[in-house]
Amino acid sequence: MLQVIGDPVLHSKSPLIHPAMLHHLGLDLSYTPQVVPKGGLPDYLAWAKAHGVTGFNATMPHKEDLIPLMDTLGEDAVRCGAVNTVCLRDGAWVGHNTDGEGCLAALHHQGLWPARGVVILGAGGAAKAVALRLARENPGPIWVCNRTRSKAQQLCQLDPDGVLTPADFDPGTLSHLCSQAQLVINCTNLGMDGCPHQFEDFSFLDALPSGSGVMDLIYHPAKTQLLHQAQARGLGVCNGLPMLVYQAIFALEYFLDRQLPGEELAQV
Ligand code: NAP
């Protein structure tokens, strides 16, 4: 049995994505959502072991809390300090993070990678996974621009190779950095359904060289104002759905402990 845990969890798209992939692979494995409140992880892990759960995905608010509860951690989970995929291997819990790898695969799939110079907007959990994974590709400078500058600084300190540079989030800084970049990735909540705030100014997009791309991690709505504005300027665009799909494919590879036909599953 496979699960996705969180609180809330019923909005999660994983119980749509994983069963479709499992069905396509001809595997008779269930994948169900399970509400686990903050603080409920130790009880859940005991329950899961006793009830035949062989793997689960984790969403808010558990990604960071899982770290000390794992027996072993994959490299990406260690780097990000967060876990989104957990497998049971010989009675031991193994934690991974597939968000960064999912983002990179989505960028490749959408023709937005490789890019030389990347502006990352935000320094939360998603930005951390994306920035640290892209830094390993060494695509030239990557700027992490965040409203709260200290969080951008903390994130960049996690990068051992010094590829990441913290920066401010004001329109002037964003325009200046975009003129040296080929890709912008929005990892903030700005423009998301239910978020009361929006980018005040999209003029930074004008500074991107032609042929550049804009990815928004948001997939509700399918096309944010940022993507509308980018498309109107002739830039390549990608919403958060491909990343969601690819991180799920990598999670399923961990669950099943084998390589899967990624492009075929992405179509499914
Ligand atoms: P998070 O940890 O809460 O981080 C939120 C980020 O947004 C922070 O950098 C925060 O800046 C910034 N922010 C929030 N409100 C802002 C505002 N009014 N002005 C400027 N910046 C603002 O959230 P997360 O988990 O990283 O998720 C971020 C987004 O990515 C969400 O929309 C989420 O749905 C999406 N996501 C998508 C995928 C996918 O697979 N497509 C995966 C994960 C996340 P401060 O530090 O200054 O507060």
Side-chain angles (χ1 to χ4, degrees):
M1 181 183 12
L2 299 170
Q3 294 205 304
V4 53
I5 66 164
D7 190 12
V9 73
L10 294 179
H11 69 288
S12 169
K13 293 262 178 268
S14 297
L16 294 173
I17 295 173
H18 279 273
M21 294 196 294
L22 289 165
H23 178 74
H24 181 77
L25 294 169
L27 296 173
D28 187 18
L29 257 173
S30 68
Y31 185 102
T32 52
Q34 174 82 41
V35 176
V36 175
K38 177 107 184 141
L41 282 175
D43 285 348
Y44 172 73
L45 290 175
W47 179 89
K49 247 185 206 178
H51 288 81
V53 175
T54 52
F56 63 91
N57 289 120
T59 181
M60 268 184 18
H62 299 308
K63 288 184 173 185
E64 284 159 14
D65 294 351
L66 275 165
I67 289 279
L69 300 173
M70 297 290 98
D71 297 302
T72 315
L73 288 168
E75 197 186 322
D76 282 330
V78 173
R79 243 178 247 260
C80 300
V83 163
N84 76 341
T85 301
V86 178
C87 312
L88 194 61
R89 291 269 182 279
D90 302 323
W93 293 115
V94 185
H96 298 280
N97 193 311
T98 64
D99 278 338
E101 205 63 43
C103 177
L104 183 60
L107 287 169
H108 271 296
H109 184 259
Q110 301 296 120
L112 298 181
W113 197 263
R116 215 166 154 78
V118 183
V119 172
I120 290 182
L121 307 176
K128 196 190 282 184
V130 168
L132 292 172
R133 181 62 191 89
L134 296 189
R136 276 160 53 203
E137 298 297 295
N138 204 3
I142 301 180
W143 295 279
V144 178
C145 306
N146 198 44
R147 176 178 62 174
T148 310
R149 169 84 181 220
S150 57
K151 276 178 65 181
Q153 275 162 336
Q154 283 164 19
L155 194 168
C156 294
Q157 279 164 6
L158 298 173
D159 165 30
D161 304 316
V163 176
L164 303 181
T165 305
D168 291 323
F169 192 73
D170 61 280
T173 302
L174 295 185
S175 288
H176 174 65
L177 298 179
C178 280
S179 69
Q180 306 165 64
Q182 292 181 333
L183 178 65
V184 172
I185 306 179
N186 179 35
C187 304
T188 75
N189 302 325
L190 291 174
M192 186 174 71
D193 276 349
C195 173
H197 304 290
Q198 180 54 271
F199 286 91
E200 285 168 22
D201 184 352
F202 292 98
S203 61
F204 62 89
L205 295 174
D206 295 324
L208 283 167
S210 69
S212 299
V214 177
M215 179 191 229
D216 201 326
L217 261 50
I218 293 167
Y219 46 87
H220 272 308
K223 199 181 278 181
T224 56
Q225 268 305 313
L226 176 70
L227 294 189
H228 274 293
Q229 295 278 341
Q231 204 165 34
R233 287 164 170 83
L235 301 165
V237 297
C238 172
N239 73 7
L241 199 58
M243 171 172 163
L244 188 74
V245 167
Y246 280 103
Q247 64 78 28
I249 292 170
F250 293 125
L252 195 57
E253 289 192 329
Y254 282 125
F255 292 148
L256 302 177
D257 200 17
R258 64 174 159 108
Q259 268 207 313
L260 297 171
E263 291 309 313
E264 194 181 307
L265 288 176
Q267 291 310 312
V268 171

